Amino acid sequence: MGKIKVTDNCNGIAGLKVIEPTVFGDARGYFMETYNYNDFKEAGIDCEFVQDNQSASKKGVLRGLHFQINYPQDKLVRVVNGEVFDVAVDLREDSETFGKWFGVTLSAENKKQFFIPKGFAHGFIVLSDYAEFCYKVTDFYHPNDEGGLLWKDPEIGVEWPMPEGMTEADLTLSDKDKVWSGISEYVKNRK
């Protein structure tokens, strides 16, 4: 392997992985592999990614916490411009860490990537003035299959950092993200 450093079981949650690539830099700039099937397979990420997505958001945008219900996706996410705080919440029914969350700062500067397997809700908040977020997924987007959890559900307790100079009231969320229910409602509805 050698080209990537992988941190497993983030916050004790099996399956989550933070990946740090080897960056080769000189006076011209830098080069790094953002994905190499062999290295990722050796690190326990043996997936077939079928779609790449990219979004751009301004400071204070919070997207999440999202998942697909019947067509779950593994995700490999990274930031190519700016900085975000990225979060995954464990929704795997048989998991000892069900309802636990983990967050990591991803930025163009630190070049970290975050692997989130199927069975997790996912979201991020933009900390920089502007951010471009890229992610590879293992299933296609199905618009009628969207699920979500309320980003500030006290039962989950995600500790979202506020962008400098902003408060919770200044955040920008989609209409859907403002009204998702919490994890207790999610558990009740899946029975």
Side-chain angles (χ1 to χ4, degrees):
M1 192 161 67
K3 292 184 197 157
I4 57 174
K5 176 185 167 196
V6 179
T7 304
D8 282 310
N9 302 325
C10 305
N11 198 26
I13 304 173
L16 295 179
K17 299 175 188 287
V18 175
I19 296 112
E20 297 176 65
T22 299
V23 180
F24 302 94
D26 60 25
R28 299 168 297 165
Y30 73 88
F31 171 85
M32 67 179 188
E33 288 183 356
T34 59
Y35 178 75
N36 178 305
Y37 174 78
N38 291 329
D39 288 346
F40 277 69
K41 182 178 178 183
E42 190 175 326
I45 303 171
D46 189 6
C47 302
E48 180 182 353
F49 293 105
V50 298
Q51 184 174 318
D52 281 7
N53 303 313
Q54 184 165 337
S55 67
S57 305
K58 63 181 184 168
K59 182 178 182 177
V61 167
L62 192 148
R63 298 179 186 260
L65 298 159
H66 304 148
F67 55 91
Q68 288 196 163
I69 301 164
N70 298 304
Y71 301 95
Q73 301 169 317
D74 299 296
K75 294 180 180 178
L76 179 62
V77 303
R78 65 191 180 101
V79 170
V80 295
N81 188 349
E83 180 178 68
V84 309
F85 184 71
D86 199 72
V87 171
V89 178
D90 191 350
L91 295 180
R92 298 171 296 179
E93 292 183 26
D94 58 349
S95 173
E96 292 178 9
T97 54
F98 178 84
K100 282 186 71 175
W101 67 276
F102 174 76
V104 60
T105 299
L106 304 176
S107 69
E109 187 176 317
N110 71 22
K111 297 174 182 45
K112 290 180 181 179
Q113 297 181 65
F114 188 27
F115 177 74
I116 305 151
K118 293 176 178 78
F120 283 79
H122 172 252
F124 65 89
I125 186 171
V126 178
L127 303 176
S128 53
D129 288 336
Y130 172 83
E132 291 179 51
F133 189 85
C134 295
Y135 48 112
K136 303 174 94 51
V137 293
T138 56
D139 202 343
F140 300 101
Y141 171 67
H142 297 269
N144 297 322
D145 195 43
E146 294 178 326
L149 294 173
L150 186 64
W151 66 278
K152 62 178 183 175
D153 179 8
E155 282 187 74
I156 299 170
V158 174
E159 296 171 14
W160 297 99
M162 286 298 115
E164 189 176 331
M166 298 183 91
T167 66
E168 189 178 301
D170 300 318
L171 298 180
T172 304
L173 291 97
S174 72
D175 290 341
K176 284 182 188 177
D177 288 345
K178 291 177 185 176
V179 298
W180 291 116
S181 59
I183 198 162
S184 289
E185 194 67 24
Y186 168 80
V187 170
K188 193 184 325 175
N189 289 335
R190 69 180 190 167
K191 289 182 180 181

